[in-house]
Amino acid sequence: MTNRVTVAALDAWLRAFAGLVAEHEDELSRLDAAIGDADHGANMNRGLTAATAALDALAAGEPPPAAGAVLSRVGMTLISTVGGASGPLFGTFFLRMGTTLGDHETPTVETLAAALRAGLAGVVQRGKAEVGDKTMYDALAPAVEAFEAALAAGEPLAGALAAASKAADDGCTATIPLVARKGRASYLGERSVGHQDPGATTVGLFFRAALDAGIDAAAAGREAG
Amino acid sequence: MKKIINDPSAVVADALKGVEAAHPELKVDHQHKVIYRADTPRGGKVGIISGGGSGHEPLHGGFVGLGMLDAACAGEVFTSPVPDQMVAATKLVDGGAGVLHVVKNYTGDVMNFEMAAELAAAETGVEVISVVTDDDVAVQDSTWTAGRRGVGATVLLEKIAGAAAEQGRSLAEVADVARKVNANGRSMGAALTSCTVPAVGHPTFDLGDDEFEFGVGIHGEPGRQRLKLVGAKELAELLVEPILADLPFASGDAVVAFVNGLGGTPLIELYVLYGEVARILAAHGVTVARSLVGPFITSLDMAGASVTLLKVDDELLGLWDAPVRTPALRWGI
């Protein structure tokens, strides 16, 4: 029996992410005000509200969407609605995830791990960020690594997501003492020290959303596409 | 927050309705938030588009018209437009001679314009060249930052490249002129107050009554240093000296001297500042060939000013003097 994740679970994860960003909109914008231009929360909330509407439209269609289509639609919607650097970066992350998930209806957890890894690669390609630049990369890269490591150690999906969430949160906190080297925060140089990166914080919310949504593997015997 | 708005989330859309009503020579694609010339595309003429976050008006929409931009994409306040918008604008202005994208050097703007140029080329085969402005000497340019910001020189570039396109020059030639402006332009700004983003509702940063933010950008992002308030004479020195040293400008150089208001500073103060800037330039033997004073690249209601100097030769000066007819700049017609 293979551990798989259902489209319904991915849908719930994305909606929980949108909900968390809406809830934390002011906090994200406050973090951005310290080292950017105070609009990260509003921009991400606008994009994810549109993405939720796109998920509704997809869910109403027949046949039910494949996993890749769900993630790709969210990515395209973010690219078209968020603007700034966050639109292309988060949009590319979900688009690349979607490409890897393809038309599987219930991808394996290993495919999900590959999708997260591909999403990370897309973010690096678009943003050219490296470790320690004080960007979303500093939460996303450790989260993806922790997820892969947990799966390799035999953790079930829920445990691997918990490990990813903890790694993302630790990565967020680790951005506080860093000097920003990418994006608007880099204009501040040393003055960017002491503030948590808003993009990394949003990545933390993405993985926390998986826990909030109670994502676990469907003990699916059903073979799927 | 006291602002003349209906709904904080509808400010950009509502302003575009006003632009359309006020300027019959312009059209607005409300879906894509693109302001464009009613007479575009013009066969054989290089199209020029720009765009960026809103809140910097008249940049960019106020510079759409004869002799300047063919279209401008309005993003959300202080947020880059999205690729769909630039693709729509590119198609609107493509008269077969290619399209120049004028992009201010901010991470988001550069990424979204890059994606748009790829998409537009893939969809229609249009040739796009992007020129990125990065004239702000407040930011140390290094591989460890996003690089210098595009600020005041963008206004001068849009005027001069627009004139070159109007003359019928090729895309490569128009792009060369644009790069020449960016290479010879330098800016520095200072803020006396923060600005208030409508959707946020409170000032982006706090500044004491006796402080100003030196080396500020145009998005309410903090600047290089926070200093004790000084008079216009000393502020002019603080702004102009780093500009002169950076290019560097030398005795005998001719410049376009541009004193820009950031939105909340009255013109009378900009002229006080301009007088001090002119005095400093004269002392350095720099000749002011042309001047521009007023709020042209703003940061909502931020009080403050920036100075841009552009070293000009006969070619750039001729293009600067060429006719222009836009909502915010018009002469020679």
Side-chain angles (χ1 to χ4, degrees), chain A residues 37 39 43 80 84 181 183 186 191, chain B residues 79 84 107 112 144 146 213 223:
Chain A
D37 58 353
D39 62 2
N43 289 341
S80 298
R181 294 190 296 215
S186 72
R191 284 173 77 182
Chain B
T79 300
D84 300 9
T107 307
N112 282 285
W144 301 113
E213 192 82 22

Side-chain angles (χ1 to χ4, degrees), chain B residues 60-73:
Chain B
H60 297 275
F63 300 136
V64 176
L66 187 144
M68 220 162 160
L69 299 178
D70 295 288
C73 307

Side-chain angles (χ1 to χ4, degrees), chain B residues 214-285:
Chain B
F214 177 62
V216 78
I218 53 173
H219 301 92
E221 68 267 43
R224 188 151 88 170
Q225 269 178 294
R226 188 159 292 190
L227 301 174
K228 287 287 170 200
L229 207 55
V230 296
K233 182 168 182 284
E234 199 178 330
L235 180 61
E237 282 161 9
L238 284 168
L239 293 173
V240 174
E241 294 294 348
I243 295 175
L244 291 173
D246 193 86
L247 191 63
F249 292 84
S251 179
D253 284 349
V255 298
V256 173
F258 171 27
V259 167
N260 173 62
L262 290 175
T265 287
L267 202 48
I268 189 169
E269 293 175 30
L270 298 182
Y271 275 106
V272 171
L273 179 62
Y274 184 84
E276 300 295 344
V277 169
R279 180 184 53 76
I280 297 166
L281 294 178
H284 281 84

Side-chain angles (χ1 to χ4, degrees), chain A:
Chain A
M1 196 167 66
T2 316
N3 277 327
R4 292 178 179 275
V5 58
T6 62
V7 172
L10 292 170
D11 180 274
W13 182 357
L14 292 164
R15 287 173 194 273
F17 176 43
L20 276 180
V21 167
E23 196 182 310
H24 291 82
E25 178 185 335
D26 290 347
E27 181 197 335
L28 293 172
S29 288
R30 255 200 318 279
L31 290 171
D32 195 27
I35 56 172
D37 58 353
D39 62 2
H40 182 67
N43 289 341
M44 288 304 296
N45 190 29
R46 183 179 59 250
L48 285 165
T49 301
T52 306
L55 288 174
D56 290 341
L58 263 186
E62 277 293 334
V70 169
L71 271 296
S72 297
R73 181 68 67 88
V74 167
M76 286 306 294
T77 305
L78 294 181
I79 289 170
S80 298
T81 55
V82 175
S86 299
L89 291 170
F90 280 94
T92 300
F93 173 71
F94 288 115
L95 259 185
R96 294 295 176 87
M97 278 191 78
T99 306
T100 304
L101 292 172
D103 42 16
H104 293 286
E105 281 173 29
T106 52
T108 65
V109 293
E110 288 76 19
T111 306
L112 178 61
L116 288 167
R117 173 60 64 181
L120 172 64
V123 168
V124 171
Q125 188 191 357
R126 184 65 62 194
K128 299 167 185 76
E130 294 170 19
V131 61
D133 282 352
K134 198 181 182 97
T135 70
M136 65 183 284
Y137 178 92
D138 291 320
L140 187 55
V144 171
E145 277 156 28
F147 185 72
E148 290 167 342
L151 287 184
E155 284 281 338
L157 177 59
L161 286 169
S165 178
K166 181 175 186 312
D169 286 343
D170 290 347
C172 285
T173 313
T175 63
I176 295 173
L178 296 175
V179 177
R181 294 190 296 215
K182 284 282 182 295
R184 255 174 218 170
S186 72
Y187 304 139
L188 291 174
E190 294 291 336
R191 284 173 77 182
S192 62
V193 169
H195 302 283
Q196 181 168 313
D197 181 65
T201 307
T202 300
V203 170
L205 294 178
F206 173 65
F207 286 99
R208 195 184 308 165
L211 306 188
D212 287 2
I215 305 299
D216 202 351
R222 175 162 84 98
E223 272 311 307

